Amino acid sequence: MSNISEPAVVATHPLVKGEVGPGCAKTDPIVIADHVTRQFGGLKAVDVDHLEIPRGQITALIGPNGAGKTTMFNLLTGFDKPNTGTWEFDGKSLAGVPAFKVARAGMVRTFQLTKSLGRLSVLQNMLLGATGQKGEGLFSALFKPLWRKQEEENTARADDLLARFKLDAKREDYAASLSGGQRKLLEMARALMSKPELIMLDEPMAGVNPALTQSLLGHIKNLKSDGTSVLFVEHDMHMVMHISDWVIVMAEGRVVAEGPPESVMKDPAVIDAYLGAHHDEDLGDLMEDGPNPVLEAERKAREAHPEVDEGPGYGETTTPPAAERER
Amino acid sequence: MDWGNIFGNAVGEIISPTTAAYALAAIGLGIHFGYTGLLNFGQAAFLLIGAYAFAIPTLAGAPLIVAVLSAIICSVIFAFILGIPTLRLRADYLAIVTIAAAEVVRYIVTTTGLTDFTGAANGLSGFKGTFAAINPIPEGRYGFGPFTYNEYDWWIRIVGWALVVLASVLVFLLMRSPWGRVVKGIREDEDAVRSLGKNVYSYKMQALVLGGVMGSVAGIIFILPRAVQPANYTTGLTFFIWTIMLLGGAATIFGPIVGSMIFWVVLSLTQGILYGAIESGALSFISTTQAGQIRFILVGVALMLLVIFRPQGIFGNKKELSFSV
Amino acid sequence: MIAGIRLGRGVRLTTMIVAVLALCLGFALGAAATSARATETPAPTPTSTDSGDFTTTYTIGGILRDGDTLVAGAEVTVEGGDFSEVATTDDTGRWSVVVPGKGDYTVTLDPETLPDGVELRDPDKSSATVSAGEWQTNTITRSFPLGADTRQTTGFFEQFLQRLAAGLNFGLLIALAAIGITLIFGTTGLNNFAHGEMVTFGAIVAWVVAVLLGINIFIAMVVALVLGGVFGYLNDWLLWKPLRRKGVKLVQAMIVSIGLAIALRYLYLFNIGGDTKTMNVGLSDAVVLGPVRITTGSLISMLISVVVLVLVGLFLTRTRIGKATRAVSDNPSLAAASGIDVDRIIRIVWVLAGALAALAGVMLALYRQVSWDMGFQVLLLMFAAVTLGGLGSAYGALVGSIVVGLFVELSTLFIPPDLKYAAALVVLILVLLVRPQGILGRKERIG
Ligand SMILES: Nc1ncnc2c1ncn2[C@@H]1O[C@H](COP(=O)(O)OP(=O)(O)O)[C@@H](O)[C@H]1O
Ligand SMILES: [Mg+2]
């Protein structure tokens, strides 16, 4: 969080092999995608030539609404099929691999519109996340002694995670009774039950109670120290600035810029992405007081297309107040 | 009006083999819809397949165990044929495709081209021998009051209800296990379960096969006291099984059993009362045929009211067991 | 790139396999059907074509041809008493055997000696007899019909046209009802299982007015149309609107519609009885249009269907209400936000659906008969049509209906008529296997 006011252009970076720029190669990538395109009718929702996601880092994927971030998530995790493209995870090609195998390979995602399992208890939701359960086989399921011990271990781990996400009081409640923000938390905690190598969070903070966001940021940082790679989509630029090691910017399906958070915000391509082309405003300094053009443009975009990002479960505020950004 | 007779008949329905067969079919449907969320509108086809795949080998001289295995294997195969194209589809497509598939098998067994095998519209009869032959109960009439039956009728009842109990225990064991958790998760949101690394397709298939086999065994129990009639296997049968399942509560252990008992007792009561009223001249403007039709009007209305006002059924927990979509 | 190609190949492969299987099945059934027909129509009595040059010899002979191709190298055996001789057909397909005299002979063609791809039309007719009494001339011909019968093919073609017309008629009347199903689904998300009963309703109204009361069928049609609209309105007003208010879920609503269907169906049965009723309204005269014979009833029904479908199309695309309907189908909450009265649109859709279903019922009554469960019998075909076209798409419903209608009728050329509905439903399942979103449907959005 230093040197913010220095000139924007950074040519090299320790995470990057060669020069920093959209689609640049990483020194230690966990995901490498090539020529991934996805067309919806006449609209090219995703058109990514090359993209690498660094291992062991927190990477933010940002971009205006409709940029194709969620679609890219869907493609990478096997929930949607691309028109063209290949990608690999941990050196293993995942193109055409069904979603559940992608998750088993260690790449687990959450959804922008939460998918909590309403008529299961919070604890059952969590237990579902655990992998390699013996009791999930049709025949072993009939004999409890075969899976009792494993179930107890998983329950202990689930309780631990629930406590960390401040959901332990809701342990026995139906997930349907949770607030929108709590569901987001549950979904993230559930994904963590499977001990993923790369966790992909689609707008994890949207709708989460502002009082909780700070501790959530802490969780995400902890994930990194545990060696998990994180890729997350977020609209809150403060959060992006705060925790990410690397930022990738998408617009109209393409990767238009990437770089460390301090410099990428000053990249003209990013301002283009949010404001459209043909601007010649001064970008200002993100960390100074006063309106930030990126944040402003982002806010306007959200107001213009409210239906895109607001799923049915979103009961709480979508934009956490821009407080507490510097300690 | 002979109230004693009317109530006697109605009470007799509680343990009738037909009630057992419907209960078993509803338990299977409960696995499909109640626990896994599969909108199977083709349960009648599983009963049909159980019936024909049992009756045809038996008539060809096969021993009982072979006929039963044939029914089970055929229903497993049918479940696969049904599941492979449909389990990837959206829920409402699944409903339409299962109902279509059930009608297709019914058209096939009814076609005159297959009269030699299926008896076409006349159906099949004369397949009870192998089942009666292993009856350990000596000849005679047993029981008391309305529950007095001969040895064959008791034998069907005992076997039928034993199978119902067995299926219920199986469902209980499965649904408290992690397997049950996965299928219930699929009922809630299959993409979420997929994102957690579970092979949703395979679980749906397992659930479809399991519930289908129960339907098929129910099909055997259903025909043991009667003949095989293709006209019995219309979508109407499927809808009655749905009514029974929803009546008791879709995702409950005892729901399908009690649902089936209530369904048949009430049908028998209304029939007895209507017939009695017609005979005594109180309802002179309708015929006994029409009285039978009134019962089904009532079934339809009851199904509507039930689903609107008590979607969780009699045993269901309001929170857990209302509809998710 | 590799993934794209692999994926593309996978899909294409599946399509191809399905297409090939369908073709094989079609040919197998087709062959079976033609041979079956050949058995029914006995081979024509051969007339003498060859006049022999030798007045003192007696000859049995003939020409083997498969369509226009002459068959060479096939062996024909003529036997009678002690006499037995084998003749081989020459390049012009001719064969002949000089026999000892006017007597009884058996003429047998050895099917093994036929060239590849050429077969007896009827495998059981590989031999023919010549009786002593037949020898009016010195030469007798025997023919062995090979391959598909060309004269029967014109018959087949005529039948094909006949079925095509019937299928079009059936498809159009399914479309009338199916558009209602698809509009209701689009605007409310409901799969209305009681739609078949709306069809039956129209048929019963028309039957009561035209047959029981003896009023002109066209007036009956209008009455059915109007009452059908009222029926649709009541459906929405009494049941579906309150349920929407109550926040009833979609599957729940679907099962409510099943309950309604059962109740209505048995109510009809209760009132009109279980026998089928014919619509004797003087529209069953046959009109001959080229090779196709069609009843005036069918012709009128097709005309009305087309006109009504065009009107519905114009309504949906040109009028304000129609556009609003499509807006609600696309996105109800957005439509509501932009000031469209969604409840009113849904009510209009129900009225329209009820009227169209009732009209379809009248057509169905003219096409077949009136019975208490007639609507339910075609409900699945209507669903198949809507599903084939892609749930929620009005044009899809039209296309799907025509496909289903044609398929039901054309399939009877190849398979027993009591399996024709089954065939259409199998096609539905196969199409969904290849294209799960239907013919014109869109994929859903995830995440
Ligand atoms: N299933 C779909 N069908 C049609 N268009 C879609 C679908 N999914 C996404 N889109 C379109 O693709 C574009 C990218 O969407 P999305 O990936 O959700 O953007 P983001 O997550 O960046 O806001 C948008 O224009 C969206 O409308
Ligand atoms: Mg998104």
Side-chain angles (χ1 to χ4, degrees):
Chain A
M1 286 291 154
S2 58
N3 300 335
I4 307 254
S5 47
E6 276 180 20
V9 184
V10 181
T12 59
H13 191 276
L15 291 176
V16 172
K17 209 155 62 184
E19 207 173 322
V20 175
C24 59
K26 306 295 180 311
T27 44
D28 184 14
I30 188 164
V31 172
I32 305 175
D34 277 299
H35 308 294
V36 177
T37 62
R38 177 68 168 103
Q39 196 125 13
F40 292 114
L43 172 83
K44 238 182 188 168
V46 166
D47 184 5
V48 169
D49 268 344
H50 188 80
L51 180 67
E52 296 191 6
I53 297 175
R55 185 191 304 274
Q57 308 294 324
I58 301 178
T59 307
L61 179 60
I62 66 170
N65 270 313
K69 307 179 294 291
T70 298
T71 308
M72 189 68 191
F73 263 42
N74 288 345
L75 294 174
L76 291 181
T77 53
F79 278 86
D80 194 1
K81 298 243 176 343
N83 297 89
T84 68
T86 56
W87 61 97
E88 56 182 56
F89 170 73
D90 236 356
K92 213 175 100 188
S93 170
L94 284 187
V97 172
F100 76 94
K101 283 193 183 156
V102 172
R104 282 186 192 172
M107 187 161 144
V108 175
R109 55 96 50 102
T110 65
F111 294 88
Q112 181 179 346
L113 305 179
T114 43
K115 295 188 181 296
S116 58
L117 309 168
R119 290 182 289 167
L120 293 184
S121 73
V122 168
L123 180 65
Q124 295 288 316
N125 262 273
M126 292 295 288
L127 289 173
L128 198 54
T131 49
Q133 298 190 47
K134 294 193 192 83
E136 288 182 353
L138 183 58
F139 293 103
S140 44
L142 295 172
F143 307 102
K144 194 166 180 184
L146 291 180
W147 46 266
R148 182 187 285 126
K149 189 154 168 294
Q150 196 186 28
E151 185 86 346
E152 281 162 6
E153 288 162 13
N154 286 338
T155 310
R157 215 151 57 79
D159 281 332
D160 187 44
L161 274 169
L162 284 177
R164 271 206 266 159
F165 282 82
K166 302 223 164 26
L167 288 169
D168 40 350
K170 298 267 178 190
R171 187 179 190 262
E172 299 301 331
D173 292 5
Y174 285 118
S177 69
L178 300 183
S179 72
Q182 285 170 326
R183 289 184 205 183
K184 282 252 148 180
L185 294 178
L186 174 59
E187 195 172 328
M188 190 167 150
R190 193 175 62 196
L192 291 176
M193 276 298 284
S194 64
K195 302 184 190 153
E197 261 181 78
L198 169 66
I199 185 162
M200 298 169 64
L201 306 168
D202 200 346
E203 304 200 11
M205 296 298 169
V208 175
N209 184 344
L212 259 176
T213 49
Q214 276 307 317
S215 71
L216 250 180
L217 295 188
H219 291 320
I220 296 180
K221 281 186 170 169
N222 284 343
L223 284 177
K224 179 185 165 187
S225 39
D226 295 345
T228 308
S229 313
V230 180
L231 174 67
F232 72 106
V233 172
E234 188 46 65
H235 282 293
D236 180 353
M237 291 304 156
H238 297 290
M239 173 176 167
V240 171
M241 296 297 294
H242 199 80
I243 62 164
S244 52
D245 303 300
W246 195 255
V247 178
I248 297 168
V249 187
M250 279 184 80
E252 293 172 351
R254 298 171 172 277
V255 174
V256 292
E258 58 179 294
E262 312 82 48
S263 58
V264 81
M265 291 297 169
K266 295 166 187 162
D267 191 326
V270 180
I271 315 295
D272 268 354
Y274 280 95
L275 289 176
H278 313 301
H279 62 87
D280 44 11
E281 295 158 59
D282 181 32
L283 306 181
D285 189 336
L286 185 67
M287 286 307 162
E288 280 172 10
D289 288 328
N292 174 290
V294 173
L295 292 180
E296 274 304 292
E298 172 58 29
R299 196 181 54 73
K300 284 196 187 116
R302 289 163 80 78
E303 279 166 5
H305 304 283
E307 82 283 1
V308 178
D309 274 353
E310 309 227 331
Y314 286 38
E316 299 170 19
T317 57
T318 32
T319 330
E324 293 180 273
R325 50 183 194 244
E326 197 64 20
R327 270 167 288 189
Chain B
M1 228 185 280
D2 183 357
W3 287 102
N5 201 13
I6 292 174
F7 279 114
N9 285 342
V11 166
E13 288 293 340
I14 292 178
I15 60 159
S16 84
T18 308
T19 306
Y22 274 69
L24 190 54
I27 293 172
L29 186 61
I31 297 178
H32 293 155
F33 175 73
Y35 293 107
T36 318
L38 300 176
L39 276 177
N40 171 20
F41 277 121
Q43 188 70 344
F46 284 106
L47 279 95
L48 182 153
I49 282 167
Y52 280 90
F54 174 82
I56 293 173
T58 304
L59 289 172
L64 182 69
I65 181 73
V66 172
V68 171
L69 280 179
S70 141
I72 291 174
I73 291 168
C74 287
S75 62
V76 171
I77 293 171
F78 179 70
F80 274 102
I81 293 174
L82 196 62
I84 287 167
T86 56
L87 290 181
R88 294 185 200 280
L89 300 180
R90 236 165 62 182
D92 42 1
Y93 281 96
L94 179 69
I96 290 165
V97 171
T98 47
I99 207 173
E103 286 291 273
V104 169
V105 290
R106 188 173 64 84
Y107 286 127
I108 289 175
V109 295
T110 317
T111 185
T112 46
L114 292 176
T115 311
D116 291 346
F117 300 99
T118 62
N122 293 326
L124 299 168
S125 56
F127 45 76
K128 294 171 194 171
T130 54
F131 177 72
I134 59 159
N135 184 358
I137 307 171
E139 219 173 293
R141 291 186 73 77
Y142 305 89
F144 60 91
F147 301 106
T148 311
Y149 307 106
N150 68 19
E151 77 287 350
Y152 181 75
D153 289 345
W154 273 116
W155 181 226
I156 307 175
R157 281 169 175 74
I158 291 167
V159 172
W161 285 102
L163 289 169
V164 170
V165 170
L166 188 70
S168 301
V169 170
L170 197 67
V171 170
F172 169 76
L173 290 177
L174 281 177
M175 293 311 160
R176 66 165 190 178
S177 76
W179 189 89
R181 186 161 61 219
V182 176
V183 297
K184 285 187 238 171
I186 292 170
R187 170 187 76 190
E188 300 301 306
D189 191 320
E190 58 177 81
D191 279 336
V193 176
R194 209 170 264 138
S195 78
L196 296 171
K198 320 290 177 199
N199 187 349
V200 168
Y201 188 63
S202 157
Y203 280 98
K204 284 182 173 182
M205 191 64 93
Q206 293 170 32
L208 186 67
V209 168
L210 198 63
V213 167
M214 290 184 184
S216 157
V217 174
I220 302 177
I221 303 174
F222 182 69
I223 57 164
L224 283 176
R226 51 174 69 79
V228 179
Q229 277 288 335
N232 279 338
Y233 301 96
T234 56
T235 43
L237 174 60
T238 298
F239 294 157
F240 291 158
I241 298 170
W242 269 84
T243 307
I244 285 169
M245 178 193 67
L246 293 171
L247 189 64
T252 59
I253 302 295
F254 294 109
I257 300 175
V258 178
S260 183
M261 289 176 174
I262 295 176
F263 184 84
W264 286 106
V265 167
V266 170
L267 271 191
S268 169
L269 269 184
T270 42
Q271 165 160 335
I273 293 172
L274 285 170
Y275 282 17
I278 292 166
E279 274 168 24
S280 67
L283 274 179
S284 53
F285 51 91
I286 62 171
S287 65
T288 46
T289 340
Q290 284 178 315
Q293 294 152 6
I294 289 181
R295 295 186 310 156
F296 292 110
I297 301 177
L298 293 179
V299 170
V301 173
L303 179 59
M304 289 165 76
L305 295 178
L306 182 70
V307 172
I308 295 172
F309 294 108
R310 202 171 164 83
Q312 72 274 29
I314 292 167
F315 283 97
N317 167 335
K318 180 97 192 167
K319 264 198 206 121
E320 189 184 1
L321 299 156
S322 48
F323 292 75
S324 66
V325 283
Chain C
M1 279 309 190
I2 294 166
I5 292 167
R6 208 191 290 149
L7 177 75
R9 243 187 234 155
V11 171
R12 239 172 290 143
L13 200 67
T14 327
T15 323
M16 222 170 69
I17 292 170
V18 170
V20 168
L21 280 179
L23 275 180
C24 294
L25 201 68
F27 280 132
L29 292 169
T34 22
S35 67
R37 206 162 297 112
T39 346
E40 282 158 24
T41 6
T45 339
T47 47
S48 166
T49 49
D50 261 0
S51 51
D53 292 329
F54 311 100
T55 48
T56 51
T57 56
Y58 302 100
T59 315
I60 299 176
I63 303 178
L64 270 186
R65 52 158 70 98
D66 175 26
D68 290 336
T69 344
L70 300 161
V71 177
E75 291 179 6
V76 179
T77 312
V78 178
E79 290 164 299
D82 294 334
F83 175 78
S84 173
E85 195 170 315
V86 179
T88 308
T89 56
D90 65 13
D91 286 344
T92 61
R94 277 166 218 270
W95 61 275
S96 63
V97 173
V98 178
V99 292
K102 302 180 176 184
D104 295 336
Y105 296 97
T106 311
V107 186
T108 312
L109 170 68
D110 183 3
E112 301 293 335
T113 59
L114 288 171
D116 285 348
V118 179
E119 267 161 18
L120 276 166
R121 192 186 306 150
D122 183 349
D124 294 334
K125 293 238 170 101
S126 63
S127 64
T129 51
V130 173
S131 63
E134 270 180 74
W135 291 98
Q136 312 289 328
T137 61
N138 296 339
T139 305
I140 281 189
T141 6
R142 281 291 174 266
S143 61
F144 295 96
L146 299 177
D149 190 339
T150 42
R151 281 166 309 100
Q152 286 297 323
T153 306
T154 39
F156 177 85
F157 188 62
E158 267 168 16
Q159 276 210 16
F160 176 81
L161 288 180
Q162 196 77 40
R163 296 289 100 202
L164 197 68
L168 208 56
N169 185 12
F170 192 45
L172 284 170
L173 72 85
I174 289 178
L176 280 181
I179 282 179
I181 290 187
T182 211
L183 285 178
I184 290 172
F185 178 83
T187 50
T188 68
L190 170 73
N191 280 301
N192 182 23
F193 273 79
H195 216 85
E197 277 56 50
M198 304 219 281
V199 171
T200 315
F201 179 81
I204 292 178
V205 169
W207 174 71
V208 168
V209 174
V211 177
L212 292 193
L213 305 179
I215 298 171
N216 182 299
I217 177 69
F218 294 102
I219 295 176
M221 235 178 242
V222 173
V223 173
L225 190 75
V226 171
L227 289 185
V230 173
F231 191 47
Y233 179 85
L234 290 179
N235 257 282
D236 186 49
W237 185 51
L238 294 177
L239 185 63
W240 300 111
K241 189 175 163 191
L243 289 188
R244 278 199 299 282
R245 287 280 142 79
K246 197 172 146 64
V248 161
K249 303 286 197 322
L250 289 180
V251 171
Q252 219 176 335
M254 181 158 115
I255 298 171
V256 170
S257 80
I258 289 174
L260 178 65
I262 296 175
L264 286 175
R265 194 153 68 246
Y266 282 96
L267 194 66
Y268 298 151
L269 176 61
F270 183 83
N271 283 308
I272 69 166
D275 53 326
T276 51
K277 293 133 177 68
T278 38
M279 287 286 274
N280 268 331
V281 290
L283 290 180
S284 41
D285 305 336
V287 184
V288 179
L289 291 175
V292 180
R293 287 169 63 86
I294 193 169
T295 64
T296 34
S298 299
L299 207 56
I300 291 169
S301 139
M302 274 158 96
L303 276 178
I304 294 178
S305 302
V306 168
V307 169
V308 170
L309 287 171
V310 168
L311 287 178
V312 171
L314 289 177
F315 168 77
L316 286 178
T317 50
R318 297 290 159 84
T319 66
R320 229 166 42 83
I321 296 175
K323 283 179 189 161
T325 307
R326 291 193 303 154
V328 174
S329 289
D330 276 350
N331 186 339
S333 48
L334 188 65
S338 56
I340 295 173
D341 181 351
V342 174
D343 256 341
R344 176 160 163 267
I345 295 299
I346 293 175
R347 197 160 60 234
I348 292 171
V349 163
W350 271 99
V351 171
L352 185 68
L356 290 178
L359 189 63
V362 185
M363 308 297 183
L364 195 60
L366 292 175
Y367 180 70
R368 303 245 178 81
Q369 278 154 341
V370 180
S371 70
W372 62 285
D373 62 347
M374 59 188 288
F376 189 67
Q377 283 174 7
V378 293
L379 176 73
L380 269 190
L381 295 181
M382 300 185 316
F383 271 136
V386 169
T387 312
L388 275 180
L391 287 179
S393 144
Y395 292 111
L398 179 60
V399 174
S401 301
I402 304 283
V403 170
V404 166
L406 288 179
F407 203 86
V408 163
E409 289 298 341
L410 289 178
S411 69
T412 58
L413 294 173
F414 307 107
I415 60 171
D418 57 2
L419 284 180
K420 63 182 180 181
Y421 286 175
L425 298 177
V426 167
V427 168
L428 166 72
I429 295 170
L430 289 181
V431 167
L432 289 178
L433 192 61
V434 185
R435 225 185 124 72
Q437 68 273 40
I439 299 173
L440 295 181
R442 273 182 312 194
K443 277 198 173 158
E444 261 187 310
R445 163 160 203 179
I446 311 160

